Amino acid sequence: MIRKVLIANRGEIAIRISLTLREMGIQTAAVFTEPDEHSPHLRAADEIQRIHSYLDSQEIVRTAKECSADAIHPGYGFLSESPTLAAACEQAGVIFIGPESDTLRTMGDKLESKGVMQKAGIPTVPSWHGSPPAAEYPVLVKAVGGGGGKGMRLVETAANLADAMASASREAASAFGDERVFLEKYIRQPRHIEFQILGDSHGNYIHVFERECSIQRRHQKIIEETPSTALTPDLRARMGAAAVAAAKAVSYRGAGTVEFILDPAGDFYFLEMNTRIQVEHPVTEMTTGLDFIREQVRIAEGGKLSYRQSDLHQIGHSIECRIYAEVPEEEFRPATGTVETFEPPAGPGIRLDSGVAQGSVVSYHFDPILAKLIVSAPSREAAIERMKRALRDFVLLGVRNNIEFLYRVISTEDFAAGKLDTGFLDRHPQVFSTSETIPIEAILAASLSITPHPADSSRATFPGVWTSGSWRNS
Ligand code: ADP
Ligand code: ADP
Ligand code: MG
């Protein structure tokens, strides 16, 4: 039985994990580095431990031992998919709340994982190591060790291939310490559909339905929902079965996500598997009643899954908006500053997973996610109206953010019609126009005469350096 967990993360996910652990009667230890001395995630835990880096496996395991934690929850990002941390835990006799280090190693390699899936009979996107046949263009250059949408380049013709591979390779080397790249057929106008899966150490596997994550910028999700308007019961059943087969193929233990790309013809292909809790897991919780942190802990303790496939049902509709400290109108450059006013929306069917509060300092040290606004309602139409209302009620001043942008995206006719694909934002330039603003924010800002924070410059140190409109890794 797990009695105490060290949470090796920060921000909203560290708080989210603490909440369930407290409900389970499990003690929590939070960790922090210097810029996070006053971070809200420290208030959510029973005790706090100062560390030098969120990325040092040895230090994390040593800290867990020192404070007598019997398990480590890695959250998402940072060391969550690190075979090194999982192996260090295995060696030190600390429970890693996640899959085995071997699974992390295999699934962290986009080529190796594709190979495993092909063997298991799961469709994958055609890929090449060298020059693809001329008829296969456009192709996408991808980093073998990639993540977070980085290290990808679209190549329209053979003439541009060499340059794109070289620059993707450089980006991959600095971002992931692995310069290897490969080529994948570029699927046009695809939807990103992923399936949540759970596996225990007794050979039981289930899927907990899909999430549609097609609204993306820079290959990263910003709005997610479930159910997807693209799935018929038959397609859902076939994709769910493929996701369960993927989990079985690697004897997956814990909560994971199998990502697929769905083309306009209705054919789907395995993209990758994310071996951790996913940013967008709340929409699945809101429509199924499961608590994925609770399930992760139960599985890590060696317990059996609490649900059979036939126990699970999707009820209603849920949408998540990622609230980022960024300026969508200026190529999504990250923003910084101090949160002067933080008045989140409330009411029926609204959930807020936030990592910030009034007075929080937002710096370039970390991922720019501030909070996640999640709504649920009986129907998709009602969920959209609720999200619009909630975004309108959300007052966040002092740090520039994407709340108004999200409102404009959610308000488009195509979003309402469920006509989504990963090129949605490119096709809807009107969502970048600030003429249609949310009145309450403007009025409040004017009445409080809030001026832009002086620290809000255009240079970033995480997750890369933002220079002249593109990411460069330092
Ligand atoms: P998810 O796949 O959980 O929906 P994202 O695709 O947005 O979330 O990001 C995947 C994960 O990668 C997140 O945990 C995010 O914090 C992390 N991440 C974001 N940027 C980087 C980066 N530059 N390097 C490594 N990880 C990153
Ligand atoms: P990451 O590890 O960075 O999350 P993924 O392989 O999951 O990388 O891809 C991230 C996003 O990039 C997808 O959600 C999709 O929008 C786009 N993408 C990836 N592969 C393809 C492809 N073969 N064709 C078209 N778009 C793709
Ligand atoms: Mg992905």
Side-chain angles (χ1 to χ4, degrees):
M1 287 297 281
I2 292 173
R3 280 163 314 182
K4 184 170 179 180
V5 172
L6 179 136
I7 302 165
N9 215 298
R10 65 180 302 281
E12 67 85 16
I13 193 64
I15 296 172
R16 158 75 192 91
I17 294 164
S18 286
L19 297 180
T20 289
L21 294 178
R22 281 176 49 210
E23 289 174 14
M24 296 178 82
I26 295 172
Q27 293 281 110
T28 57
V31 293
F32 70 102
T33 61
E34 200 243 304
D36 269 343
E37 256 170 358
H38 305 290
S39 172
H41 82 273
L42 303 180
R43 292 201 285 276
D46 296 309
E47 66 176 70
I48 61 175
Q49 297 286 337
R50 192 187 188 99
I51 54 170
H52 293 98
S53 166
Y54 291 106
L55 289 167
D56 182 340
S57 298
Q58 296 304 330
E59 185 184 32
I60 295 284
V61 175
R62 197 168 59 239
T63 308
K65 288 295 245 189
E66 277 164 15
C67 71
S68 310
D70 27 35
I72 292 175
H73 196 305
Y76 59 72
F78 293 126
L79 295 171
S80 58
E81 299 181 274
S82 160
T84 310
L85 176 62
C89 286
E90 285 157 20
Q91 277 206 334
V94 175
I95 296 171
F96 176 76
I97 302 180
E100 290 168 22
S101 55
D102 282 344
T103 311
L104 294 171
R105 207 168 282 117
T106 305
M107 293 296 116
D109 183 309
K110 282 200 190 332
L111 279 179
E112 205 177 324
S113 64
K114 280 179 82 154
V116 172
M117 296 310 152
Q118 280 158 9
K119 263 194 213 134
I122 297 157
T124 60
V125 187
S127 58
W128 304 271
H129 290 279
S131 242
E136 299 289 358
Y137 283 86
V139 295
L140 202 56
V141 184
K142 276 189 165 183
V144 174
K150 308 196 82 187
M152 267 185 244
R153 298 282 185 286
L154 175 61
V155 183
E156 299 278 359
T157 60
N160 302 329
L161 184 62
D163 278 356
M165 286 183 79
S167 86
S169 184
R170 276 195 302 275
E171 185 177 324
S174 67
F176 315 114
D178 180 349
E179 77 292 345
R180 288 177 302 152
V181 294
F182 68 103
L183 304 168
E184 212 169 74
K185 184 167 179 60
Y186 182 69
I187 311 286
R188 290 202 189 263
Q189 297 211 334
R191 297 171 86 122
H192 175 115
I193 308 280
E194 60 185 32
F195 272 72
Q196 175 72 53
I197 58 105
L198 287 169
D200 64 20
S201 43
H202 306 275
N204 302 304
Y205 306 94
I206 55 173
H207 73 79
V208 197
F209 311 109
E210 80 280 9
R211 290 183 286 260
E212 163 127 30
C213 315
S214 298
I215 306 293
Q216 304 183 345
R217 55 118 175 78
R218 270 191 254 117
H219 303 298
Q220 252 203 330
K221 307 151 187 171
I222 52 173
I223 300 175
E224 304 98 340
E225 64 177 302
T226 189
S228 164
T229 56
L231 267 55
T232 58
D234 170 65
L235 184 53
R236 181 172 294 114
R238 285 188 289 124
M239 292 182 80
V244 167
K248 268 189 194 159
V250 288
S251 303
Y252 194 83
R253 182 190 69 199
T257 298
V258 183
E259 295 189 334
F260 295 104
I261 201 152
L262 177 69
D263 73 15
D267 290 319
F268 65 89
Y269 307 90
F270 171 85
L271 210 49
E272 64 160 349
M273 183 166 184
N274 290 330
T275 48
R276 54 172 160 83
I277 190 81
Q278 199 93 346
V279 177
E280 56 274 19
H281 75 276
V283 295
T284 307
E285 294 185 332
M286 298 287 269
T287 46
T288 61
L290 269 71
D291 177 332
F292 286 99
I293 303 299
R294 185 180 287 267
E295 294 308 312
Q296 284 186 302
V297 170
R298 288 260 174 275
I299 293 165
E301 285 176 331
K304 287 189 177 156
L305 295 186
S306 346
Y307 301 86
R308 285 163 306 182
Q309 192 66 60
S310 56
D311 296 333
L312 301 177
H313 304 282
Q314 291 169 299
I315 297 169
H317 198 94
S318 180
I319 306 176
E320 171 181 282
C321 282
R322 299 190 187 189
I323 313 296
Y324 278 114
E326 68 183 17
V327 190
E329 301 78 17
E330 294 171 27
E331 296 182 82
F332 298 99
R333 72 168 173 89
T336 58
T338 300
V339 178
E340 311 279 0
T341 308
F342 189 74
E343 289 168 16
I350 291 189
R351 166 174 169 177
L352 185 83
D353 285 19
S354 175
V356 298
Q358 195 137 324
S360 287
V361 176
V362 178
S363 68
Y364 285 131
H365 294 285
F366 306 111
D367 205 80
I369 196 158
L370 299 173
K372 303 181 311 204
L373 175 60
I374 306 114
V375 303
S376 65
S379 67
R380 186 169 189 270
E381 293 68 30
I384 291 174
E385 287 312 314
R386 182 160 281 167
M387 181 60 89
K388 281 159 71 173
R389 193 273 288 172
L391 288 168
R392 240 186 269 119
D393 285 355
F394 205 143
V395 184
L396 202 172
L397 302 175
V399 181
R400 295 186 71 180
N401 59 72
N402 64 345
I403 293 177
E404 295 188 14
F405 174 77
L406 291 164
Y407 178 85
R408 293 193 296 267
V409 175
I410 290 275
S411 303
T412 56
E413 268 176 36
D414 278 353
F415 192 91
K419 284 189 196 153
L420 312 180
D421 69 80
T422 60
F424 188 95
L425 296 183
D426 291 336
R427 268 206 325 286
H428 294 82
Q430 77 272 22
V431 300
F432 292 93
S433 151
T434 49
S435 56
E436 198 188 312
T437 53
I438 304 172
I440 183 75
E441 277 220 24
I443 292 160
L444 254 166
S447 69
L448 298 171
S449 60
I450 299 285
T451 45
H453 201 271
D456 184 22
S457 78
S458 59
R459 281 189 64 77
T461 54
F462 183 89
V465 177
W466 179 255
T467 43
S468 59
S470 66
W471 287 97
R472 304 257 181 284
N473 275 289
S474 41

